[in-house]
PDB file of all heavy atoms in Angstrom:
ATOM      1  N   SER J   1       4.831  -4.857  11.131  1.00  0.00           N
ATOM      2  CA  SER J   1       3.679  -4.006  10.808  1.00  0.00           C
ATOM      3  C   SER J   1       3.660  -3.664   9.328  1.00  0.00           C
ATOM      4  O   SER J   1       2.606  -3.691   8.674  1.00  0.00           O
ATOM      5  CB  SER J   1       3.733  -2.715  11.633  1.00  0.00           C
ATOM      6  OG  SER J   1       3.708  -2.984  13.012  1.00  0.00           O
ATOM      7  N   HIS J   2       4.816  -3.338   8.788  1.00  0.00           N
ATOM      8  CA  HIS J   2       4.914  -2.987   7.369  1.00  0.00           C
ATOM      9  C   HIS J   2       4.554  -4.169   6.483  1.00  0.00           C
ATOM     10  O   HIS J   2       3.847  -4.020   5.469  1.00  0.00           O
ATOM     11  CB  HIS J   2       6.327  -2.495   7.075  1.00  0.00           C
ATOM     12  CG  HIS J   2       6.604  -2.206   5.642  1.00  0.00           C
ATOM     13  ND1 HIS J   2       5.695  -1.577   4.813  1.00  0.00           N
ATOM     14  CD2 HIS J   2       7.699  -2.456   4.869  1.00  0.00           C
ATOM     15  CE1 HIS J   2       6.225  -1.444   3.596  1.00  0.00           C
ATOM     16  NE2 HIS J   2       7.424  -1.989   3.620  1.00  0.00           N
ATOM     17  N   ALA J   3       5.014  -5.362   6.831  1.00  0.00           N
ATOM     18  CA  ALA J   3       4.699  -6.549   6.035  1.00  0.00           C
ATOM     19  C   ALA J   3       3.197  -6.805   6.008  1.00  0.00           C
ATOM     20  O   ALA J   3       2.615  -7.112   4.958  1.00  0.00           O
ATOM     21  CB  ALA J   3       5.429  -7.767   6.606  1.00  0.00           C
ATOM     22  N   VAL J   4       2.551  -6.655   7.167  1.00  0.00           N
ATOM     23  CA  VAL J   4       1.100  -6.895   7.239  1.00  0.00           C
ATOM     24  C   VAL J   4       0.333  -5.813   6.491  1.00  0.00           C
ATOM     25  O   VAL J   4      -0.570  -6.107   5.695  1.00  0.00           O
ATOM     26  CB  VAL J   4       0.639  -6.967   8.713  1.00  0.00           C
ATOM     27  CG1 VAL J   4      -0.872  -7.090   8.791  1.00  0.00           C
ATOM     28  CG2 VAL J   4       1.302  -8.149   9.421  1.00  0.00           C
ATOM     29  N   ALA J   5       0.685  -4.559   6.723  1.00  0.00           N
ATOM     30  CA  ALA J   5      -0.047  -3.458   6.096  1.00  0.00           C
ATOM     31  C   ALA J   5       0.109  -3.474   4.577  1.00  0.00           C
ATOM     32  O   ALA J   5      -0.862  -3.266   3.840  1.00  0.00           O
ATOM     33  CB  ALA J   5       0.424  -2.121   6.672  1.00  0.00           C
ATOM     34  N   SER J   6       1.325  -3.713   4.083  1.00  0.00           N
ATOM     35  CA  SER J   6       1.542  -3.722   2.636  1.00  0.00           C
ATOM     36  C   SER J   6       0.838  -4.908   1.984  1.00  0.00           C
ATOM     37  O   SER J   6       0.292  -4.795   0.883  1.00  0.00           O
ATOM     38  CB  SER J   6       3.035  -3.750   2.320  1.00  0.00           C
ATOM     39  OG  SER J   6       3.665  -4.865   2.904  1.00  0.00           O
ATOM     40  N   SER J   7       0.824  -6.045   2.666  1.00  0.00           N
ATOM     41  CA  SER J   7       0.083  -7.196   2.158  1.00  0.00           C
ATOM     42  C   SER J   7      -1.416  -6.894   2.104  1.00  0.00           C
ATOM     43  O   SER J   7      -2.118  -7.279   1.160  1.00  0.00           O
ATOM     44  CB  SER J   7       0.345  -8.417   3.044  1.00  0.00           C
ATOM     45  OG  SER J   7      -0.402  -9.522   2.614  1.00  0.00           O
ATOM     46  N   TRP J   8      -1.906  -6.191   3.103  1.00  0.00           N
ATOM     47  CA  TRP J   8      -3.321  -5.806   3.155  1.00  0.00           C
ATOM     48  C   TRP J   8      -3.686  -4.916   1.973  1.00  0.00           C
ATOM     49  O   TRP J   8      -4.742  -5.072   1.352  1.00  0.00           O
ATOM     50  CB  TRP J   8      -3.603  -5.089   4.474  1.00  0.00           C
ATOM     51  CG  TRP J   8      -5.029  -5.079   4.902  1.00  0.00           C
ATOM     52  CD1 TRP J   8      -6.142  -5.280   4.121  1.00  0.00           C
ATOM     53  CD2 TRP J   8      -5.510  -4.880   6.229  1.00  0.00           C
ATOM     54  NE1 TRP J   8      -7.280  -5.202   4.868  1.00  0.00           N
ATOM     55  CE2 TRP J   8      -6.922  -4.956   6.178  1.00  0.00           C
ATOM     56  CE3 TRP J   8      -4.899  -4.629   7.448  1.00  0.00           C
ATOM     57  CZ2 TRP J   8      -7.732  -4.787   7.305  1.00  0.00           C
ATOM     58  CZ3 TRP J   8      -5.682  -4.470   8.583  1.00  0.00           C
ATOM     59  CH2 TRP J   8      -7.091  -4.541   8.502  1.00  0.00           C
ATOM     60  N   VAL J   9      -2.798  -3.975   1.628  1.00  0.00           N
ATOM     61  CA  VAL J   9      -3.046  -3.117   0.469  1.00  0.00           C
ATOM     62  C   VAL J   9      -3.153  -3.956  -0.799  1.00  0.00           C
ATOM     63  O   VAL J   9      -4.055  -3.761  -1.624  1.00  0.00           O
ATOM     64  CB  VAL J   9      -1.931  -2.058   0.325  1.00  0.00           C
ATOM     65  CG1 VAL J   9      -2.054  -1.318  -1.009  1.00  0.00           C
ATOM     66  CG2 VAL J   9      -1.992  -1.066   1.477  1.00  0.00           C
ATOM     67  N   GLY J  10      -2.221  -4.914  -0.978  1.00  0.00           N
ATOM     68  CA  GLY J  10      -2.246  -5.765  -2.159  1.00  0.00           C
ATOM     69  C   GLY J  10      -3.513  -6.582  -2.265  1.00  0.00           C
ATOM     70  O   GLY J  10      -4.028  -6.812  -3.366  1.00  0.00           O
ATOM     71  N   ARG J  11      -4.039  -7.025  -1.135  1.00  0.00           N
ATOM     72  CA  ARG J  11      -5.271  -7.820  -1.148  1.00  0.00           C
ATOM     73  C   ARG J  11      -6.519  -6.953  -1.286  1.00  0.00           C
ATOM     74  O   ARG J  11      -7.499  -7.363  -1.906  1.00  0.00           O
ATOM     75  CB  ARG J  11      -5.365  -8.641   0.138  1.00  0.00           C
ATOM     76  CG  ARG J  11      -4.249  -9.648   0.309  1.00  0.00           C
ATOM     77  CD  ARG J  11      -4.464 -10.508   1.538  1.00  0.00           C
ATOM     78  NE  ARG J  11      -3.304 -11.344   1.828  1.00  0.00           N
ATOM     79  CZ  ARG J  11      -3.309 -12.332   2.701  1.00  0.00           C
ATOM     80  NH1 ARG J  11      -4.392 -12.623   3.368  1.00  0.00           N
ATOM     81  NH2 ARG J  11      -2.219 -13.039   2.914  1.00  0.00           N
ATOM     82  N   ARG J  12      -6.470  -5.770  -0.694  1.00  0.00           N
ATOM     83  CA  ARG J  12      -7.657  -4.923  -0.648  1.00  0.00           C
ATOM     84  C   ARG J  12      -7.952  -4.266  -1.999  1.00  0.00           C
ATOM     85  O   ARG J  12      -9.111  -4.128  -2.382  1.00  0.00           O
ATOM     86  CB  ARG J  12      -7.457  -3.844   0.416  1.00  0.00           C
ATOM     87  CG  ARG J  12      -8.659  -2.956   0.641  1.00  0.00           C
ATOM     88  CD  ARG J  12      -9.695  -3.622   1.495  1.00  0.00           C
ATOM     89  NE  ARG J  12     -10.903  -2.841   1.591  1.00  0.00           N
ATOM     90  CZ  ARG J  12     -11.976  -3.181   2.298  1.00  0.00           C
ATOM     91  NH1 ARG J  12     -11.977  -4.317   2.987  1.00  0.00           N
ATOM     92  NH2 ARG J  12     -13.050  -2.420   2.330  1.00  0.00           N
ATOM     93  N   ALA J  13      -6.895  -3.837  -2.707  1.00  0.00           N
ATOM     94  CA  ALA J  13      -7.085  -3.130  -3.986  1.00  0.00           C
ATOM     95  C   ALA J  13      -7.511  -4.132  -5.050  1.00  0.00           C
ATOM     96  O   ALA J  13      -6.793  -5.090  -5.330  1.00  0.00           O
ATOM     97  CB  ALA J  13      -5.805  -2.437  -4.384  1.00  0.00           C
ATOM     98  N   LYS J  14      -8.665  -3.896  -5.639  1.00  0.00           N
ATOM     99  CA  LYS J  14      -9.183  -4.785  -6.668  1.00  0.00           C
ATOM    100  C   LYS J  14      -8.862  -4.287  -8.067  1.00  0.00           C
ATOM    101  O   LYS J  14      -8.802  -5.063  -9.019  1.00  0.00           O
ATOM    102  CB  LYS J  14     -10.707  -4.950  -6.517  1.00  0.00           C
ATOM    103  CG  LYS J  14     -11.140  -5.451  -5.153  1.00  0.00           C
ATOM    104  CD  LYS J  14     -10.465  -6.757  -4.777  1.00  0.00           C
ATOM    105  CE  LYS J  14     -10.896  -7.244  -3.403  1.00  0.00           C
ATOM    106  NZ  LYS J  14     -10.161  -8.450  -2.976  1.00  0.00           N
ATOM    107  N   THR J  15      -8.682  -2.983  -8.229  1.00  0.00           N
ATOM    108  CA  THR J  15      -8.306  -2.396  -9.510  1.00  0.00           C
ATOM    109  C   THR J  15      -7.143  -1.433  -9.277  1.00  0.00           C
ATOM    110  O   THR J  15      -6.897  -1.012  -8.146  1.00  0.00           O
ATOM    111  CB  THR J  15      -9.480  -1.618 -10.136  1.00  0.00           C
ATOM    112  OG1 THR J  15      -9.866  -0.552  -9.239  1.00  0.00           O
ATOM    113  CG2 THR J  15     -10.669  -2.537 -10.380  1.00  0.00           C
ATOM    114  N   ALA J  16      -6.439  -1.095 -10.364  1.00  0.00           N
ATOM    115  CA  ALA J  16      -5.301  -0.156 -10.297  1.00  0.00           C
ATOM    116  C   ALA J  16      -4.386  -0.496  -9.130  1.00  0.00           C
ATOM    117  O   ALA J  16      -4.055   0.349  -8.305  1.00  0.00           O
ATOM    118  CB  ALA J  16      -5.799   1.279 -10.193  1.00  0.00           C
ATOM    119  N   ARG J  17      -3.963  -1.743  -9.075  1.00  0.00           N
ATOM    120  CA  ARG J  17      -3.135  -2.188  -7.949  1.00  0.00           C
ATOM    121  C   ARG J  17      -1.799  -1.465  -7.898  1.00  0.00           C
ATOM    122  O   ARG J  17      -1.257  -1.200  -6.822  1.00  0.00           O
ATOM    123  CB  ARG J  17      -2.901  -3.692  -8.052  1.00  0.00           C
ATOM    124  CG  ARG J  17      -4.083  -4.511  -7.545  1.00  0.00           C
ATOM    125  CD  ARG J  17      -3.854  -5.972  -7.758  1.00  0.00           C
ATOM    126  NE  ARG J  17      -4.841  -6.766  -7.060  1.00  0.00           N
ATOM    127  CZ  ARG J  17      -5.136  -8.028  -7.394  1.00  0.00           C
ATOM    128  NH1 ARG J  17      -4.521  -8.603  -8.406  1.00  0.00           N
ATOM    129  NH2 ARG J  17      -6.044  -8.700  -6.716  1.00  0.00           N
ATOM    130  N   GLY J  18      -1.238  -1.168  -9.076  1.00  0.00           N
ATOM    131  CA  GLY J  18       0.012  -0.427  -9.086  1.00  0.00           C
ATOM    132  C   GLY J  18      -0.136   0.929  -8.427  1.00  0.00           C
ATOM    133  O   GLY J  18       0.727   1.374  -7.672  1.00  0.00           O
ATOM    134  N   LEU J  19      -1.261   1.595  -8.680  1.00  0.00           N
ATOM    135  CA  LEU J  19      -1.515   2.897  -8.071  1.00  0.00           C
ATOM    136  C   LEU J  19      -1.723   2.756  -6.566  1.00  0.00           C
ATOM    137  O   LEU J  19      -1.246   3.587  -5.785  1.00  0.00           O
ATOM    138  CB  LEU J  19      -2.728   3.550  -8.727  1.00  0.00           C
ATOM    139  CG  LEU J  19      -3.126   4.930  -8.207  1.00  0.00           C
ATOM    140  CD1 LEU J  19      -1.978   5.912  -8.361  1.00  0.00           C
ATOM    141  CD2 LEU J  19      -4.369   5.428  -8.940  1.00  0.00           C
ATOM    142  N   ALA J  20      -2.446   1.724  -6.142  1.00  0.00           N
ATOM    143  CA  ALA J  20      -2.667   1.509  -4.706  1.00  0.00           C
ATOM    144  C   ALA J  20      -1.344   1.279  -3.984  1.00  0.00           C
ATOM    145  O   ALA J  20      -1.096   1.848  -2.914  1.00  0.00           O
ATOM    146  CB  ALA J  20      -3.598   0.317  -4.495  1.00  0.00           C
ATOM    147  N   SER J  21      -0.481   0.453  -4.569  1.00  0.00           N
ATOM    148  CA  SER J  21       0.823   0.210  -3.980  1.00  0.00           C
ATOM    149  C   SER J  21       1.636   1.492  -3.916  1.00  0.00           C
ATOM    150  O   SER J  21       2.322   1.768  -2.925  1.00  0.00           O
ATOM    151  CB  SER J  21       1.589  -0.834  -4.805  1.00  0.00           C
ATOM    152  OG  SER J  21       0.901  -2.068  -4.813  1.00  0.00           O
ATOM    153  N   ALA J  22       1.553   2.291  -4.984  1.00  0.00           N
ATOM    154  CA  ALA J  22       2.324   3.532  -5.024  1.00  0.00           C
ATOM    155  C   ALA J  22       1.830   4.531  -3.993  1.00  0.00           C
ATOM    156  O   ALA J  22       2.628   5.241  -3.378  1.00  0.00           O
ATOM    157  CB  ALA J  22       2.256   4.147  -6.420  1.00  0.00           C
ATOM    158  N   LEU J  23       0.527   4.608  -3.781  1.00  0.00           N
ATOM    159  CA  LEU J  23      -0.010   5.522  -2.780  1.00  0.00           C
ATOM    160  C   LEU J  23       0.436   5.113  -1.376  1.00  0.00           C
ATOM    161  O   LEU J  23       0.774   5.962  -0.542  1.00  0.00           O
ATOM    162  CB  LEU J  23      -1.541   5.561  -2.869  1.00  0.00           C
ATOM    163  CG  LEU J  23      -2.113   6.272  -4.091  1.00  0.00           C
ATOM    164  CD1 LEU J  23      -3.623   6.046  -4.178  1.00  0.00           C
ATOM    165  CD2 LEU J  23      -1.800   7.759  -4.059  1.00  0.00           C
ATOM    166  N   TYR J  24       0.430   3.813  -1.119  1.00  0.00           N
ATOM    167  CA  TYR J  24       0.913   3.327   0.171  1.00  0.00           C
ATOM    168  C   TYR J  24       2.385   3.693   0.356  1.00  0.00           C
ATOM    169  O   TYR J  24       2.785   4.220   1.403  1.00  0.00           O
ATOM    170  CB  TYR J  24       0.733   1.808   0.251  1.00  0.00           C
ATOM    171  CG  TYR J  24       1.335   1.184   1.495  1.00  0.00           C
ATOM    172  CD1 TYR J  24       0.613   1.128   2.685  1.00  0.00           C
ATOM    173  CD2 TYR J  24       2.631   0.672   1.489  1.00  0.00           C
ATOM    174  CE1 TYR J  24       1.170   0.572   3.829  1.00  0.00           C
ATOM    175  CE2 TYR J  24       3.195   0.120   2.624  1.00  0.00           C
ATOM    176  CZ  TYR J  24       2.464   0.068   3.789  1.00  0.00           C
ATOM    177  OH  TYR J  24       3.022  -0.477   4.918  1.00  0.00           O
ATOM    178  N   LEU J  25       3.184   3.418  -0.668  1.00  0.00           N
ATOM    179  CA  LEU J  25       4.612   3.683  -0.549  1.00  0.00           C
ATOM    180  C   LEU J  25       4.939   5.166  -0.633  1.00  0.00           C
ATOM    181  O   LEU J  25       5.941   5.613  -0.072  1.00  0.00           O
ATOM    182  CB  LEU J  25       5.367   2.903  -1.624  1.00  0.00           C
ATOM    183  CG  LEU J  25       5.370   1.389  -1.398  1.00  0.00           C
ATOM    184  CD1 LEU J  25       5.963   0.668  -2.602  1.00  0.00           C
ATOM    185  CD2 LEU J  25       6.130   1.016  -0.135  1.00  0.00           C
ATOM    186  N   TRP J  26       4.091   5.938  -1.335  1.00  0.00           N
ATOM    187  CA  TRP J  26       4.263   7.391  -1.307  1.00  0.00           C
ATOM    188  C   TRP J  26       4.136   7.890   0.128  1.00  0.00           C
ATOM    189  O   TRP J  26       4.963   8.672   0.602  1.00  0.00           O
ATOM    190  CB  TRP J  26       3.215   8.075  -2.176  1.00  0.00           C
ATOM    191  CG  TRP J  26       3.183   9.559  -1.965  1.00  0.00           C
ATOM    192  CD1 TRP J  26       4.031  10.484  -2.487  1.00  0.00           C
ATOM    193  CD2 TRP J  26       2.271  10.281  -1.120  1.00  0.00           C
ATOM    194  NE1 TRP J  26       3.706  11.746  -2.031  1.00  0.00           N
ATOM    195  CE2 TRP J  26       2.629  11.647  -1.189  1.00  0.00           C
ATOM    196  CE3 TRP J  26       1.185   9.914  -0.323  1.00  0.00           C
ATOM    197  CZ2 TRP J  26       1.943  12.640  -0.489  1.00  0.00           C
ATOM    198  CZ3 TRP J  26       0.509  10.897   0.370  1.00  0.00           C
ATOM    199  CH2 TRP J  26       0.880  12.234   0.283  1.00  0.00           C
ATOM    200  N   ALA J  27       3.097   7.437   0.829  1.00  0.00           N
ATOM    201  CA  ALA J  27       2.925   7.830   2.225  1.00  0.00           C
ATOM    202  C   ALA J  27       4.102   7.341   3.072  1.00  0.00           C
ATOM    203  O   ALA J  27       4.599   8.054   3.951  1.00  0.00           O
ATOM    204  CB  ALA J  27       1.609   7.268   2.766  1.00  0.00           C
ATOM    205  N   TYR J  28       4.554   6.148   2.785  1.00  0.00           N
ATOM    206  CA  TYR J  28       5.661   5.516   3.526  1.00  0.00           C
ATOM    207  C   TYR J  28       6.935   6.356   3.430  1.00  0.00           C
ATOM    208  O   TYR J  28       7.537   6.726   4.451  1.00  0.00           O
ATOM    209  CB  TYR J  28       5.854   4.134   2.909  1.00  0.00           C
ATOM    210  CG  TYR J  28       6.873   3.221   3.523  1.00  0.00           C
ATOM    211  CD1 TYR J  28       6.553   2.426   4.614  1.00  0.00           C
ATOM    212  CD2 TYR J  28       8.140   3.075   2.962  1.00  0.00           C
ATOM    213  CE1 TYR J  28       7.470   1.525   5.145  1.00  0.00           C
ATOM    214  CE2 TYR J  28       9.062   2.179   3.489  1.00  0.00           C
ATOM    215  CZ  TYR J  28       8.721   1.407   4.572  1.00  0.00           C
ATOM    216  OH  TYR J  28       9.631   0.523   5.091  1.00  0.00           O
ATOM    217  N   TYR J  29       7.337   6.692   2.230  1.00  0.00           N
ATOM    218  CA  TYR J  29       8.582   7.444   2.050  1.00  0.00           C
ATOM    219  C   TYR J  29       8.414   8.934   2.296  1.00  0.00           C
ATOM    220  O   TYR J  29       9.376   9.604   2.679  1.00  0.00           O
ATOM    221  CB  TYR J  29       9.164   7.173   0.660  1.00  0.00           C
ATOM    222  CG  TYR J  29       9.619   5.753   0.527  1.00  0.00           C
ATOM    223  CD1 TYR J  29       8.928   4.860  -0.284  1.00  0.00           C
ATOM    224  CD2 TYR J  29      10.710   5.278   1.248  1.00  0.00           C
ATOM    225  CE1 TYR J  29       9.320   3.528  -0.375  1.00  0.00           C
ATOM    226  CE2 TYR J  29      11.111   3.958   1.155  1.00  0.00           C
ATOM    227  CZ  TYR J  29      10.409   3.097   0.348  1.00  0.00           C
ATOM    228  OH  TYR J  29      10.793   1.784   0.272  1.00  0.00           O
ATOM    229  N   PHE J  30       7.223   9.443   2.089  1.00  0.00           N
ATOM    230  CA  PHE J  30       6.978  10.841   2.420  1.00  0.00           C
ATOM    231  C   PHE J  30       7.085  11.034   3.932  1.00  0.00           C
ATOM    232  O   PHE J  30       7.627  12.028   4.412  1.00  0.00           O
ATOM    233  CB  PHE J  30       5.596  11.269   1.919  1.00  0.00           C
ATOM    234  CG  PHE J  30       5.400  12.755   1.881  1.00  0.00           C
ATOM    235  CD1 PHE J  30       6.252  13.565   1.148  1.00  0.00           C
ATOM    236  CD2 PHE J  30       4.349  13.350   2.565  1.00  0.00           C
ATOM    237  CE1 PHE J  30       6.069  14.939   1.100  1.00  0.00           C
ATOM    238  CE2 PHE J  30       4.158  14.717   2.530  1.00  0.00           C
ATOM    239  CZ  PHE J  30       5.026  15.521   1.792  1.00  0.00           C
ATOM    240  N   GLY J  31       6.603  10.051   4.684  1.00  0.00           N
ATOM    241  CA  GLY J  31       6.760  10.082   6.135  1.00  0.00           C
ATOM    242  C   GLY J  31       8.221  10.043   6.529  1.00  0.00           C
ATOM    243  O   GLY J  31       8.655  10.759   7.442  1.00  0.00           O
TER     244      GLY J  31
END
């Protein structure tokens, strides 16, 4: 699930990809 969801974030974000990845992982580790 994590591999699919994180890949989806990388494909979905068209700008500020570093921020998109960080928001995903912020939620991941905050959880």
Side-chain angles (χ1 to χ4, degrees):
S1 300
H2 175 41
V4 175
S6 58
S7 177
W8 201 340
V9 170
R11 297 185 189 191
R12 184 79 186 181
K14 304 304 179 185
T15 60
R17 280 176 169 158
L19 180 58
S21 298
L23 288 171
Y24 174 86
L25 290 172
W26 169 79
Y28 184 85
Y29 293 110
F30 196 57

